[in-house]
Amino acid sequence: MNKQEAKKRIQKLREEISHWNYQYFALNQKTDITEAARDALKKELSELERQFPDLVTPDSPTQRIGSVLSGELKKVRHAKKIYSLADIFNLEGLKDWEKRIEKLVPREKVSYVCEPKIDGLHIVLTYKKGKFVRAATRGNGVIGEDVSHTVRTIESVPLKLKKEVDIEVGGEVFMSKKSFEKLNKSQKKKDQTLFANPRNAAAGSVRQLDPRITADRNLDTFIYNSDEPDRWEHKAGHDLSVALFSQSEILERLKELGFKVNPHYKVCRNIQEIKGFYNSVKKKRNDYGYEIDGLAIKVDSLEQQDKMGRTAKTPRWAVAFKFPAEQTTTVVEDIIVQVGRTGAVTPVAVLKPVSVAGSTVSRATLHNQDEIKRLGIKIGDTVVIQKAGDVIPEVVKVLERFRTGKERKFKMPKLCPVCETKLVKPPSEVVFRCPNKKCFAQQRNSLIHFVSKKALNIDGMGKSIIDQLIEKDLVTTPADILTLKKGDLLELEHFADKAADNLIKAIEKAKRVHLGRFLFGLGVRYVGEETADLLARNVLLEPSPTPRLRRAGRGRNRTLKEAIDSIKKMGLEDLEAIEGIGDKVALGIHQYFQDKNHLKLLSQLIKAGIKIDSLDFEVATQKSRITGKTFLFTGSLKKFARDQAKDLVRAKGGRVASAVSKRVDYVVAGEKPGGKFKKARELGIKTIGEKEFKKLIR
Ligand SMILES: [Zn+2]
C-alpha cells in the first residue's frame, strides 16, 4: 500500500471506529459488530500508523493513551467561570425557588428540564474545529487543572466531533457502581487504600499522572451543558446555524455532536411534574448503574435563563434538588427474631426511631447470625443505618467508640419465638428455620401470601381479617379460607352484612384461577411469579397419545388434580429440563410436592372447589400472535389493571418481564411511562401503546 492509499484507508478506519464507538459508548446501543471486530479495526489502524508515522494525528482512536506526565497537573484558567448549583432539600425549597424566579419573568410560563444529578467529577471539555483539545477539572470555578491526558482515555469522550465546531462543554466524569466494586476489590488484593465511594474513585482516576491507570478504570461521562449556545448559532457553520432556544435542545444537539448524554432527563411544565419525576427517580435510584444524588433542575428557555441571570455564586435559573440522606445513626434498643412464611428466622434490630431517606425507621434487618458476627453488633450499640429505596433498612456499621460497657451480646434463641419448636439450620445454609409446619407465624404469613394480589387475589381480604380469622380459630390453612361461610365472617369485628357478602363473592371468584397464580400462592420455596407460570405451562395439558399431535404440543386439558399429580411425578431432572428452572428451584419444587402435609393441603384445596381458569388452556391449544413473545409494561394503562394485562399475556402464551433487556419483544407503554420506556427505545425494542396491545392480544 502506498502512502496515498494508506492515508485514505486510515481515514476510513478512523471513521468506522468512531462510528461504532459512538453507537456503543455514547448511545449505549447494542452494536451489530462485536468488541473483537472493533479491536480488529483498531489493530489494522495502528499497524498502518506504525508504517506511516507522519499520518498519526492526535484525534486518532489509537492516540487515547499518551505519555505519563511528570511533575504535577498544569493549572488552567476557564474561559468563563464555572458555576455550581444552589442546593435545595425539600418541596418547600422548590416552591420558594419557583416563586423567586417567577418574579423575574412576570406573566411568562416557565418550563423546566430535570436531569438526574450524577455524583461524579465536573469537567470542561474544549474542542477546536471539532477536535478534542483540552479537558479541565472545575477547580474553584475560575482555575482548574488540565486533565486532558487522562480524560481522553475515556471512551465515551469523542476525540473528534461529528461537526467541525469550536465548542466548550461541561459534564460529569463518573465511575459505575460495578467498576467501583471491581476497582476496590483489586485495590484490596494489592493491599492498597480503598476508595470511599465512586465519586472519590472517579476523581482519583482522572487526576492521575499516568493515563494508563485511568484507561484501566472504566470511567464514563455524561455531558449536559454548553455555556455558549450563541456561538454555535453564529459561528458554527451553516448546518449548525439553527438557533437554540432551550436546554433540552442543547442536550439533543450535544448528542448529535457525538457526546454521551444521559437519556433519563425530562421536561416538566410545573412544580407538580417535577415532584413526580423527582419521586420516581428517587425510587429507582438504586436501579441506575451509577450514583445519583438528586435532580438538576434548569429553566428550559435560554431567553428566560438570560433574564434571570446569576448571583455571585450560582445561576438563579437552576437548582440541585438533593435526595434526603440515606444513612443516619441511631441506637439499637433490642435485637429480636422474626419468623417468615418459609420458616426462616431473621434477627431484626429494634432501633430508637429515626428519620432516614424521608421516612421514620424503627427496625433494621440483620439478615442472619453470620451478619451479626461480621458487624459485631450488640444490644445498646450506636450504629450507622442505611436505607436503600423501599426495602427494609440495614445496619452498616457499629460505632464502637460509643460503647459504655453495658451493651449485651445477642444470642440466637434455640426455640422458635412463636411456637417454641427447636430451630434447625442445615449445614449448607446460613439461616435458621422453624421446622414446625403449623407454626403460627408461618401459617399467618402463608395465608397472607395465598390471598395476595399476585396469587389468588382475593379482593378485600387483608392482614387484619386474616389475623381475626386465625384468632377465632376459623382458619388454619389456605383451604379453610375457601370454605368460609357468610356466618363465619359476621363474627368478625366491624363486619357488616354487605361486607361479608362481598368477601364471600370474592372468594368464589378466586376459585377459578390461573394455574400459575395458584402455584405461586402455595409459597413453594424459590418459586416466584414467573417460575410458577413456567411450571404451570408445562403441566396444563395431558400430551396427546398420537405422536404427531404430541410433537405439535397438542393434548387434553388437565384438571387441577391431574396437573398437580403430574408435578408430583416429576423427578429433579424433569424439573430442571424446563427452561428457566435451575437446580435450586427444582429442588424446592420437588421437596414441596413430596411433603405429605403439602399433599394433604393440595387435596383439601381441590376439594374446596379450586379449578383452573379455562383461559389458561387457550395458551396450550391455540398458537396466538404473541406465543413465546415477552412483554414489559410501563406507565399506567387505562383499560386494564396491570396484573390483569399480565394475565392476558400469559394466557395467550406470552411472557412478562420486569426489567428491560434484549429478551423483551414488546414494551407496552401506558400513560407516563418511566425510564424503562426510554431504555427500551435505546435498545431498539418495539414499543407499543395500549391500543396496539389490545389488538395484539385479541
Ligand atoms: Zn415456629
Side-chain angles (χ1 to χ4, degrees):
M1 198 180 287
N2 66 33
K3 193 165 173 185
Q4 206 46 42
E5 289 164 347
K7 195 173 174 184
K8 276 190 191 148
R9 181 78 187 168
I10 283 175
Q11 187 56 32
K12 284 186 179 153
L13 281 165
R14 286 176 187 166
E15 276 166 16
E16 192 67 18
I17 292 166
S18 69
H19 168 74
W20 292 117
N21 277 357
Y22 178 66
Q23 300 287 321
Y24 185 77
F25 292 108
L27 300 184
N28 222 344
Q29 273 168 3
K30 194 176 150 270
T31 53
D32 298 334
I33 71 169
T34 64
E35 208 175 342
R38 265 188 294 138
D39 284 345
L41 294 173
K42 276 190 209 163
K43 204 174 151 206
E44 189 193 340
L45 176 60
S46 58
E47 186 56 34
L48 277 175
E49 287 179 343
R50 202 181 51 76
Q51 281 176 39
F52 303 99
D54 52 329
L55 294 180
V56 177
T57 56
D59 64 347
S60 169
T62 59
Q63 300 302 302
R64 283 200 179 267
I65 303 178
S67 50
V68 182
L69 290 195
S70 58
E72 52 185 32
L73 299 173
K74 207 171 74 195
K75 299 267 185 276
V76 292
R77 182 176 281 274
H78 294 296
K80 274 187 177 177
K81 185 174 171 184
I82 313 294
Y83 289 85
S84 51
L85 303 186
D87 288 339
I88 53 173
F89 294 97
N90 49 41
L91 205 56
E92 299 321 308
L94 186 65
K95 284 178 183 160
D96 288 347
W97 176 61
E98 185 197 29
K99 266 185 217 147
R100 284 200 304 276
I101 57 170
E102 275 179 351
K103 273 188 207 146
L104 299 170
V105 285
R107 286 180 301 280
E108 288 185 31
K109 235 188 129 16
V110 180
S111 66
Y112 309 87
V113 177
C114 302
E115 307 160 48
K117 199 171 168 305
I118 313 299
D119 201 7
L121 175 76
H122 189 84
I123 46 153
V124 180
L125 306 176
T126 310
Y127 290 81
K128 288 260 152 62
K129 290 213 166 81
K131 286 182 182 165
F132 173 91
V133 293
R134 194 179 79 186
T137 63
R138 182 180 175 280
N140 63 7
V142 179
I143 291 174
E145 287 172 312
D146 189 332
V147 286
S148 310
H149 65 299
T150 54
V151 169
R152 62 179 295 133
T153 67
I154 303 170
E155 302 225 47
S156 62
V157 172
L159 294 179
K160 196 173 166 204
L161 301 180
K162 299 206 174 271
K163 301 271 155 68
E164 291 189 3
V165 286
D166 291 353
I167 189 175
E168 206 161 72
V169 300
E172 214 78 6
V173 173
F174 64 92
M175 187 178 281
S176 72
K177 293 175 191 167
K178 229 190 196 160
S179 301
F180 170 70
E181 271 173 35
K182 213 175 115 198
L183 172 61
N184 260 356
K185 233 184 222 163
S186 100
Q187 291 285 104
K188 199 171 171 188
K189 231 185 217 163
K190 288 186 260 173
D191 224 359
Q192 284 170 342
T193 331
L194 302 189
F195 291 99
N197 53 50
R199 189 190 55 240
N200 288 1
S205 307
V206 165
R207 298 186 67 257
Q208 291 286 331
L209 294 174
D210 185 349
R212 284 169 302 185
I213 295 177
T214 320
D216 234 59
R217 290 200 179 160
N218 268 319
L219 294 172
D220 207 342
T221 56
F222 282 129
I223 301 302
Y224 47 77
N225 71 30
S226 155
D227 261 348
E228 299 157 287
D230 49 347
R231 237 166 74 177
W232 299 13
E233 194 184 321
H234 303 304
K235 297 182 191 168
H238 65 280
D239 49 356
L240 267 173
S241 59
V242 195
L244 293 174
F245 294 108
S246 65
Q247 167 67 12
S248 43
E249 285 172 348
I250 288 180
L251 291 173
E252 289 307 313
R253 189 63 55 90
L254 286 168
K255 205 157 77 186
E256 285 165 26
L257 283 173
F259 293 106
K260 181 165 177 176
V261 171
N262 192 325
H264 304 290
Y265 72 85
K266 186 179 159 116
V267 177
C268 294
R269 283 165 305 179
N270 51 46
I271 295 290
Q272 219 42 41
E273 286 187 6
I274 294 177
K275 189 181 142 200
F277 185 57
Y278 173 86
N279 285 332
S280 83
V281 172
K282 191 170 82 179
K283 209 168 151 191
K284 285 182 303 193
R285 71 185 280 195
N286 294 301
D287 300 339
Y288 293 95
Y290 39 84
E291 295 282 358
I292 296 170
D293 59 357
L295 283 188
I297 305 170
K298 297 166 188 166
V299 169
D300 198 14
S301 154
L302 298 182
E303 198 196 341
Q304 287 179 338
Q305 286 187 7
D306 271 352
K307 284 186 192 165
M308 293 171 190
R310 306 163 194 272
T311 68
K313 280 194 233 146
T314 59
R316 290 199 183 90
W317 43 266
V319 285
F321 192 2
K322 292 290 192 88
F323 290 139
E326 295 237 321
Q327 275 195 356
T328 189
T329 59
T330 185
V331 173
V332 178
E333 293 182 328
D334 198 1
I335 296 177
I336 59 168
V337 293
Q338 282 181 348
V339 187
R341 169 167 59 80
T342 57
V345 175
T346 317
V348 174
V350 178
L351 308 169
K352 197 170 153 213
V354 64
S355 170
V356 59
S359 56
T360 301
V361 162
S362 57
R363 287 181 177 212
T365 178
L366 294 167
H367 300 290
N368 53 56
Q369 203 165 21
D370 289 7
E371 177 71 1
I372 289 179
K373 223 173 172 182
R374 192 186 69 79
L375 286 165
I377 191 170
K378 291 179 177 177
I379 297 161
D381 266 339
T382 298
V383 293
V384 177
I385 60 162
Q386 178 167 296
K387 190 166 189 295
D390 291 334
V391 300
I392 178 163
E394 294 177 301
V395 174
V396 290
K397 195 175 173 52
V398 173
L399 301 176
E400 293 182 14
R401 189 188 302 277
F402 295 99
R403 283 200 175 145
T404 61
K406 284 186 185 154
E407 292 75 18
R408 284 178 297 126
K409 259 194 165 168
F410 165 77
K411 263 177 83 186
M412 184 59 100
K414 296 251 180 321
L415 305 179
C416 171
V418 178
C419 70
E420 302 194 320
T421 306
K422 193 163 181 287
L423 298 180
V424 295
K425 184 171 90 82
S428 61
E429 293 185 16
V430 289
V431 177
F432 278 89
R433 283 175 197 283
C434 167
N436 176 12
K437 296 283 179 266
K438 293 192 173 140
C439 174
F440 171 77
Q442 294 181 51
Q443 232 173 45
R444 173 177 184 265
N445 291 324
S446 306
L447 290 170
I448 291 170
H449 179 75
F450 185 70
V451 302
S452 69
K453 231 173 154 185
K454 287 176 177 168
L456 260 71
N457 190 19
I458 300 182
D459 213 13
M461 183 157 291
K463 282 182 194 173
S464 70
I465 292 178
I466 299 240
D467 282 345
Q468 289 188 60
L469 289 170
I470 298 173
E471 179 111 332
K472 293 218 169 358
D473 235 354
L474 287 165
V475 159
T476 47
T477 74
D480 298 335
I481 289 179
L482 299 177
T483 51
L484 281 171
K485 299 280 174 299
K486 188 176 166 188
D488 300 330
L489 296 176
L490 290 174
E491 281 186 36
L492 307 183
E493 248 171 73
H494 314 298
F495 231 82
D497 208 57
K498 180 101 172 95
D501 275 338
N502 286 343
L503 192 49
I504 293 292
K505 255 188 225 155
I507 291 170
E508 280 311 309
K509 200 176 141 209
K511 286 183 183 171
R512 289 210 169 266
V513 65
H514 290 287
L515 184 57
R517 280 171 169 268
F518 175 78
L519 294 172
F520 175 67
L522 294 176
V524 181
R525 257 174 99 186
Y526 309 124
V527 174
E529 220 184 329
E530 283 302 307
T531 308
D533 193 54
L534 283 175
L535 183 59
R537 266 192 234 175
N538 268 274
V539 296
L540 267 173
L541 293 186
E542 176 76 39
S544 167
T546 320
R548 187 177 56 80
L549 292 175
R550 191 166 61 230
R551 275 197 300 276
R554 306 289 283 274
R556 175 179 63 77
N557 296 355
R558 277 178 174 153
T559 63
L560 180 60
K561 182 173 185 309
E562 288 169 336
I564 286 169
D565 283 344
S566 79
I567 299 176
K568 219 162 71 184
K569 278 189 214 132
M570 286 172 117
L572 277 177
E573 275 174 27
D574 301 323
L575 288 164
E576 282 171 38
I578 299 173
E579 202 193 318
I581 292 186
D583 50 353
K584 196 168 98 177
V585 179
L587 187 64
I589 297 170
H590 190 69
Q591 282 175 345
Y592 185 96
F593 286 89
Q594 299 306 311
D595 183 301
K596 70 176 192 300
N597 286 315
H598 292 149
L599 295 179
K600 196 170 134 204
L601 169 66
L602 287 166
S603 70
Q604 284 170 345
L605 286 167
I606 293 165
K607 233 172 105 190
I610 291 208
K611 293 210 164 62
I612 300 176
D613 191 325
S614 59
L615 239 179
D616 258 9
F617 296 113
E618 289 182 18
V619 187
T621 48
Q622 69 181 41
K623 278 225 161 91
S624 78
R625 264 179 296 182
I626 66 167
T627 302
K629 302 275 187 222
T630 301
F631 285 73
L632 179 95
F633 293 90
T634 175
S636 53
L637 301 176
K638 270 196 220 138
K639 294 264 159 62
F640 311 90
R642 179 74 70 91
D643 285 323
Q644 189 192 1
K646 286 183 181 176
D647 275 349
L648 279 168
V649 167
R650 292 188 187 119
K652 297 270 178 181
R655 280 182 221 143
V656 180
S658 56
V660 182
S661 75
K662 286 173 276 172
R663 217 165 56 86
V664 175
D665 298 292
Y666 294 98
V667 168
V668 184
E671 273 183 4
K672 297 197 181 136
K676 285 178 187 168
F677 179 70
K678 272 194 176 157
K679 194 171 169 208
R681 278 266 163 102
E682 283 157 35
L683 286 174
I685 297 167
K686 193 168 167 88
T687 54
I688 57 174
E690 193 168 342
K691 254 194 197 153
E692 284 168 279
F693 172 66
K694 250 180 98 179
K695 262 190 210 155
L696 266 179
I697 53 166
R698 204 162 37 200

